[in-house]
Amino acid sequence: MIQEVVGQLPPESTQQAVGYPSLFLLVALGALVPVVPTGALVSSAGVVALHQSSPFSLLIVFAVASAAAFLGDICLYWLGQRGVRSKNGSKWLRTISGRAAPERLAQAQQKLDEHGAAVLVLSRLVPAGRIPVMLACLLGRMPLRRFARGDVPACLAWAATYQLIGILGGSLFPEPWQGVVAAVGLTLLVSGAPAVWRKTRARFGH
């Protein structure tokens, strides 16, 4: 069944014309509303690009994903800044705050004090680490320009990491759909393992 669907896929030019804008919009949306599995999207796009004939497909996926992540981060930070400055706050700031556990926020604030904007790179790579660090930056009144300078390498590292996961999954199987399944599985494993580890440690009191 899956092989039949794959066999009926549109030509590469059509895939690219639809796929790149879709990837950009979904990754940017995922940065604004952290419920879209953006890592899995980038990994899947990496698999598809790996099996395309164009030598620039992987480079374009990397550029689109990192640019979309950066745009989403900047928009979310700007909205958060408006909430911090407002006397009544904002729904965006409340949304960000609701997704950051108090202990994670405290850790993020400590690391931000110690290492500055360099923490943004690590926060993008650690699952569920982006929002606490962004909130710590907002509460610390970090200027948007300084946040943007730190977020550029963070988004580049994030896009490269998840694209590499896609390339790894895609290189293991001859068919693109098999690589996509493997890449999504690897992405979910990478994203979910830290949360499972924290719950396990908390259950056994360590």
Side-chain angles (χ1 to χ4, degrees):
M1 178 63 181
I2 298 179
Q3 289 92 332
E4 293 178 1
V5 174
V6 173
Q8 297 173 359
L9 288 177
E12 268 190 31
S13 58
T14 305
Q15 293 180 38
Q16 293 169 354
V18 175
Y20 294 145
S22 299
L23 177 65
F24 185 91
L25 290 174
L26 288 172
V27 171
L29 177 63
L32 279 169
V33 186
V35 293
V36 179
T38 52
L41 287 172
V42 175
S43 296
S44 300
V47 173
V48 175
L50 182 67
H51 288 274
Q52 290 183 340
S53 59
S54 172
F56 301 108
S57 295
L58 287 170
L59 182 60
I60 295 174
V61 168
F62 170 73
V64 169
S66 54
F70 178 75
L71 177 63
D73 282 356
I74 293 302
C75 290
L76 185 59
Y77 193 79
W78 178 77
L79 290 167
Q81 276 188 322
R82 293 186 61 187
V84 169
R85 293 167 183 165
S86 173
K87 293 181 179 179
N88 299 322
S90 70
K91 66 176 184 178
W92 287 101
L93 184 59
R94 288 191 293 271
T95 299
I96 297 174
S97 301
R99 293 184 176 276
E103 63 275 10
R104 298 295 298 275
L105 177 58
Q107 293 174 2
Q109 288 175 321
Q110 181 181 354
K111 291 178 181 178
L112 190 63
D113 292 338
E114 294 174 354
H115 304 289
V119 178
L120 289 169
V121 177
L122 183 60
S123 74
R124 257 287 179 182
L125 299 178
V126 175
R130 182 176 69 100
I131 295 301
V133 171
M134 181 179 289
L135 184 57
C137 292
L138 286 169
L139 296 178
R141 305 284 179 147
M142 179 182 289
L144 179 60
R145 183 175 297 180
R146 185 184 174 199
F147 176 84
R149 285 200 302 266
D151 198 50
V152 168
C155 291
L156 293 174
W158 172 82
T161 298
Y162 281 99
Q163 188 170 5
L164 285 173
I165 292 176
I167 293 173
L168 176 61
S171 63
L172 295 175
F173 301 96
E175 296 293 336
W177 69 267
Q178 295 172 325
V180 169
V181 172
V184 171
L186 286 172
T187 302
L188 294 177
L189 180 63
V190 170
S191 302
V196 173
W197 173 248
R198 286 195 298 270
K199 290 180 179 179
T200 302
R201 292 188 64 187
R203 178 175 298 180
F204 289 97
H206 294 298

